[in-house]
């Protein structure tokens, strides 16, 4: 049985998601930070008909969807829920799980990424030659400048309006943070977190303006962001598909723990 979840389901849902906290970072963060009564967020659960145990969950955040299950689940039922949204933009999740939707839903593009986690900073790792660059934490007034940089980078598939509203909301609510380096009056490099929760945070939006690449600026931003989050007693996760970027992340302290797939309508 699939039904929409409410705050009465909070304890059971968080216990279920806590079986795989890294994989469920987004789900845990969005439940802790936004709950069940937001217009931009809904969560459904599938319950075992025999014992009533929660066996799968599906998150809608804006028009992006993220499923999780710890075994067989009602793929058709979850697909039907997503297809009711005529503004569906993206389905993402653990690669093995998301693959089960391929024959039920059509997507224009699919991206498979390495999924990595950092629990402690590698202080002995190679440092950027620009490690002393002026990295600062972004404010609400910086949102447009940061998003303008990301607009010009092909790999960022997010709708521009959704990107801006999402970043603004994360800064306003404290559910995410953005760090940046400026050069010549423009944002030259940036990195953000999303879905910050009591245990962890996701690193997203790592970007460098083409005119400033090869200078180690993004490495400086990510290292500073990670150092601050780890100092707070939390771990970090991120996705990457570029082996060169993966090498840089591993020098900072990340290790691969699996694969993540994003499928775009």
């Amino acid at each position: 049985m699939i039904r929409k979840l409410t705050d009465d389901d909070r304890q059971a849902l968080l216990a279920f998601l806590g079986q795989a906290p890294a994989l469920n970072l987004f789900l845990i963060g969005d439940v802790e930070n936004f709950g069940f009564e937001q217009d931009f967020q809904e969560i459904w659960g599938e319950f075992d008909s025999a014992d009533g145990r929660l066996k799968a969950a599906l998150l809608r955040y804006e028009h992006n969807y993220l499923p999780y299950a710890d075994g067989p689940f009602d793929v058709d039922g979850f697909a039907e829920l997503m297809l009711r949204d005529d503004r569906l933009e993206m389905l993402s999740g653990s690669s093995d799980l998301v693959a089960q939707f391929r024959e039920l839903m059509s997507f224009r593009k699919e991206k498979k990424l390495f999924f990595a986690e950092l629990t402690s900073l590698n202080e002995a790792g190679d440092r950027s030659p620009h490690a002393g660059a002026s990295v600062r934490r972004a404010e609400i007034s910086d949102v447009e400048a940061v998003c303008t940089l990301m607009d010009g980078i092909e790999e960022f598939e997010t709708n521009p309006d959704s990107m801006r509203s999402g970043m603004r909301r994360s800064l306003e609510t404290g559910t995410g943070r953005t760090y940046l380096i400026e050069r010549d009056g423009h944002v030259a490099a940036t990195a953000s977190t999303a879905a910050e929760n009591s245990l962890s945070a996701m690193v997203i939006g790592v970007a460098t303006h083409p005119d400033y690449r090869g200078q180690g600026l993004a490495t400086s931003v990510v290292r500073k962001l990670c150092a601050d989050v780890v100092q707070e007693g939390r771990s970090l996760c991120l996705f990457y598909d570029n082996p060169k970027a993966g090498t840089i992340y591993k020098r900072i302290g990340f290790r691969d723990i699996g694969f993540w797939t994003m499928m775009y309508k």
Side-chain angles (χ1 to χ4, degrees), residues 8 10 27 40 64 66 75-76 85 117 131 139 143 147 155 166 174 182-183 186 243 263:
D8 291 339
R10 179 185 293 266
L27 270 158
F40 58 82
N64 301 320
L66 197 164
V75 184
D76 294 87
D85 184 353
E117 182 181 29
E139 300 176 355
V143 168
C147 290
E155 56 261 38
E182 293 172 300
R183 289 286 186 271
H186 302 284
M263 298 198 287

Side-chain angles (χ1 to χ4, degrees), residues 18-256:
Q19 299 175 127
L23 281 177
N24 290 317
L25 185 150
F26 286 116
L27 270 158
I28 293 171
D30 287 340
V31 171
E32 286 187 354
N33 294 319
F34 302 119
F36 301 83
E37 302 297 332
Q38 304 289 345
D39 58 0
F40 58 82
Q41 176 167 297
E42 294 177 280
I43 307 168
W44 296 268
E46 180 188 358
F47 294 83
D48 191 293
S49 58
D51 59 13
R53 180 184 67 88
L54 183 63
K55 57 190 294 187
L58 176 67
L59 167 73
R60 176 186 71 83
Y61 186 92
E62 299 287 1
H63 301 285
N64 301 320
Y65 290 79
L66 197 164
Y68 171 71
D70 63 356
F73 68 103
D74 186 356
V75 184
D76 294 87
F78 277 6
E80 181 180 347
L81 284 170
M82 288 185 276
L83 290 171
R84 292 177 187 171
D85 184 353
D86 58 7
R87 295 175 60 192
L88 169 65
E89 293 179 3
M90 181 176 69
L91 167 63
S92 65
S94 172
S95 292
D96 290 343
L97 192 152
V98 169
Q100 299 180 57
F101 292 92
R102 283 198 189 101
E103 296 183 3
L104 302 174
M105 305 172 67
S106 61
F107 295 90
R108 64 175 175 83
K109 182 176 180 181
E110 178 177 329
K111 184 183 292 186
K112 186 175 182 179
L113 305 170
F114 290 96
F115 186 29
E117 182 181 29
L118 179 148
T119 55
S120 62
L121 204 65
N122 181 11
E123 297 294 349
D126 292 346
R127 288 184 175 272
S128 158
H130 290 263
S134 180
V135 180
R136 71 173 177 85
R137 188 163 173 171
E139 300 176 355
I140 299 293
S141 59
D142 296 306
V143 168
E144 182 59 33
V146 172
C147 290
T148 296
L149 165 61
M150 296 169 70
D151 287 341
I153 298 177
E154 184 178 356
E155 56 261 38
F156 293 107
E157 293 276 345
T158 306
N159 176 284
D161 292 335
S162 295
M163 185 196 311
R164 284 160 172 77
S165 64
M167 182 176 293
R168 189 171 289 107
R169 182 185 298 127
S170 71
L171 295 182
E172 289 174 343
T173 60
T175 57
R177 66 189 80 184
T178 295
Y179 287 60
L180 58 87
I181 292 176
E182 293 172 300
R183 289 286 186 271
D184 306 313
H186 302 284
V187 176
T190 184
S192 301
T193 60
E196 291 199 16
N197 60 66
S198 57
L199 302 174
S200 56
M202 175 65 69
V203 179
I204 63 168
V206 180
T208 305
H209 190 285
D211 293 347
Y212 301 98
R213 289 177 181 169
Q215 300 180 23
L217 299 184
T219 302
S220 294
V221 176
V222 173
R223 177 177 282 277
K224 171 60 175 172
L225 183 155
C226 291
D228 287 356
V229 174
V230 168
Q231 189 173 30
E232 296 166 4
R234 292 184 277 182
S235 63
L236 299 104
C237 295
L238 59 73
F239 310 124
Y240 72 91
D241 61 354
N242 183 325
K244 183 177 180 180
T247 299
I248 294 170
Y249 294 138
K250 289 173 184 175
R251 287 174 182 166
I252 293 172
F254 285 91
R255 61 183 182 86
D256 293 339

